[in-house]
Amino acid sequence: MAGIRFSQLIDNFITTIERYGSTVLQPEISSSRPANIRVITSEQVTDCKIFLWTITPGGGGPGVRPESERRIQMTNISGMPLWPGVRTLLGGWSQEFGVYAFWDARRHTKFSFRSPSLQVDANTLETAGTTGIATQFRPTKEGEEVVVAVAPGSLLWYVQNGLPLHNSQDDAAFVVDLAAASPEEERNFLDSAQSEIESARRYDLVETMRAFRDASFRPAVLQAYSYKCAVCNCDLKLVDAAHIVPITHPTSTDEVTNGIALCRLHHGAYDNALLGVKSDCQIVINPNMTNRLHEIGLDSGLEEFKSRLPDVIRVPASIEARPTPDRLRLGLKLRGWPEEQIA
Ligand SMILES: [Zn+2]
């Protein structure tokens, strides 16, 4: 299988994470590794150096290497120096399975010989293609490492949140289960840790996999609302998937019906309990909040903000994707709205 040019691999990488809601800045287009990019979402700014190759079947011919072995061949570099504050990604794209795989850059800062290769099992790539994520604990001559494979829909999540997976060591086997775990299952996983170190590591892993679920919520909600704010209709890559029932509440879910697509302004106003959406989808302004803003002298722009609001939000065309009245009510209640406004 012929390798894809580095510039093309990076182009595809950037297009993928942009589609799922980030803005990517690339100060200079580089034809040699690494590519330097800045990935921006409403939650986070992540500076990355990306070393990417094409994943190919293992070399050496039949009988020499296991048939399920896939690998990248790290050509034209001598190691991956690490830069503080920068996420260094060491990975490959598998055309065969339509997924990315990443090794732990911290274990490959220097190479002892030229153009070494890094391996991953075809089963790991295949699992990532179906579940969105898979990990493989890999004991090697240079030490143990965790390889992480992700489907394109989970790439942005991996870039911003995936580092703890490389620290998961033998807990790596639980990652796929944690991707779909209930709060009770998460609790059992945490409580069965054998040491404080393991307990801390497991906690990181649970948090990371919660972010994974959140990351799958976003594309589903954005798609249901045609990537536009349900209040002002703007797109401009400034639209978030807001949870109606906040994720801290036990009944919160990552179903589309617990989401609304809101631009950064209206998302902020919704979470601050300034702007609300009633159970009939009517848009309301919270009098307690406007009084409070007035009291503390932070109400400039309020009249203009109010004058631009439509009466109701725009809901998804598909009825199954629309927010449920119960959730909309609970969403206001949990944000401290006065009882008479909640109906
Ligand atoms: Zn808006």
Side-chain angles (χ1 to χ4, degrees):
M1 200 184 307
I4 303 169
R5 264 186 306 126
F6 178 62
S7 54
Q8 185 65 51
L9 285 171
I10 290 297
D11 249 15
N12 296 349
F13 183 100
I14 290 176
T15 308
T16 302
I17 56 175
E18 281 194 308
R19 187 172 302 139
Y20 290 98
S22 70
T23 294
V24 177
L25 303 183
Q26 191 178 17
E28 52 192 87
I29 309 292
S30 154
S31 56
S32 59
R33 296 173 182 85
N36 299 305
I37 65 169
R38 170 168 277 199
V39 181
I40 304 165
T41 62
S42 57
E43 292 88 29
Q44 219 170 311
V45 175
T46 314
D47 287 317
C48 306
K49 287 190 184 284
I50 308 175
F51 296 85
L52 207 58
W53 285 268
T54 309
I55 297 175
T56 58
V64 179
R65 314 287 305 183
E67 205 169 298
S68 68
E69 185 182 292
R70 301 291 181 275
R71 64 178 188 171
I72 54 170
Q73 189 85 40
M74 295 188 284
T75 44
N76 302 324
I77 55 165
S78 54
M80 256 146 291
L82 301 177
W83 295 264
V86 175
R87 179 107 157 79
T88 301
L89 300 178
L90 163 57
W93 161 253
S94 164
Q95 188 74 34
E96 184 185 4
F97 295 98
V99 300
Y100 289 90
F102 296 92
W103 287 261
D104 191 344
R106 297 168 300 184
R107 294 180 193 275
H108 304 284
T109 51
K110 287 197 192 79
F111 305 150
S112 49
F113 56 101
R114 262 192 199 205
S115 153
S117 69
L118 296 178
Q119 291 80 33
V120 61
D121 196 278
N123 291 320
T124 308
L125 301 176
E126 193 174 11
T127 306
T130 30
T131 63
I133 171 85
T135 51
Q136 184 187 332
F137 185 48
R138 179 176 171 267
T140 68
K141 286 194 289 278
E142 301 88 51
E144 297 164 330
E145 79 174 311
V146 176
V147 189
V148 180
V150 289
S154 309
L155 182 62
L156 177 58
W157 160 80
Y158 172 78
V159 168
Q160 294 202 309
N161 303 290
L163 188 59
L165 293 176
H166 292 291
N167 301 336
S168 59
Q169 299 301 308
D170 35 357
D171 283 338
F174 296 106
V175 164
V176 172
D177 290 340
L178 281 174
S182 66
E184 261 170 273
E185 288 164 331
E186 288 175 345
R187 192 71 260 160
N188 291 338
F189 176 66
L190 293 174
D191 289 347
S192 59
Q194 302 295 313
S195 67
E196 270 180 41
I197 291 173
E198 189 179 38
S199 175
R201 204 172 65 203
R202 287 190 168 195
Y203 184 79
D204 278 352
L205 200 54
V206 166
E207 289 283 295
T208 304
M209 295 318 291
R210 284 200 153 202
F212 174 82
R213 292 203 291 274
D214 198 33
S216 39
F217 170 74
R218 183 186 177 101
V221 172
L222 294 190
Q223 198 186 11
Y225 288 79
S226 323
Y227 302 87
K228 294 188 182 77
C229 175
V231 173
C232 68
N233 238 8
C234 93
D235 177 344
L236 310 177
K237 289 206 296 190
L238 292 172
V239 186
D240 295 331
H243 281 91
I244 298 171
V245 177
I247 41 176
T248 47
H249 194 265
T251 68
S252 181
T253 72
D254 285 325
E255 291 165 280
V256 180
T257 50
N258 190 34
I260 316 181
L262 293 174
C263 71
R264 307 246 170 112
L265 175 68
H266 292 123
H267 188 185
Y270 185 70
D271 278 343
N272 279 354
L274 172 62
L275 176 148
V277 180
K278 292 173 83 161
S279 58
D280 58 358
C281 292
Q282 211 192 120
I283 295 173
V284 280
I285 290 286
N286 185 347
N288 293 357
M289 185 51 76
T290 57
N291 289 342
R292 179 72 189 135
L293 289 171
H294 181 67
E295 269 169 34
I296 58 177
L298 292 178
D299 62 344
S300 133
L302 178 63
E303 288 313 311
E304 184 167 0
F305 176 82
K306 287 202 289 195
S307 72
R308 292 184 178 196
L309 296 176
D311 296 330
V312 290
I313 59 161
R314 185 178 50 83
V315 293
S318 140
I319 295 173
E320 295 84 64
R322 293 181 190 169
T324 53
D326 285 354
R327 286 214 173 101
L328 288 167
R329 267 187 225 106
L330 184 58
L332 295 183
K333 195 172 149 81
L334 295 170
R335 288 177 178 84
W337 278 65
E339 206 54 56
E340 64 274 15
Q341 291 271 330
I342 292 178

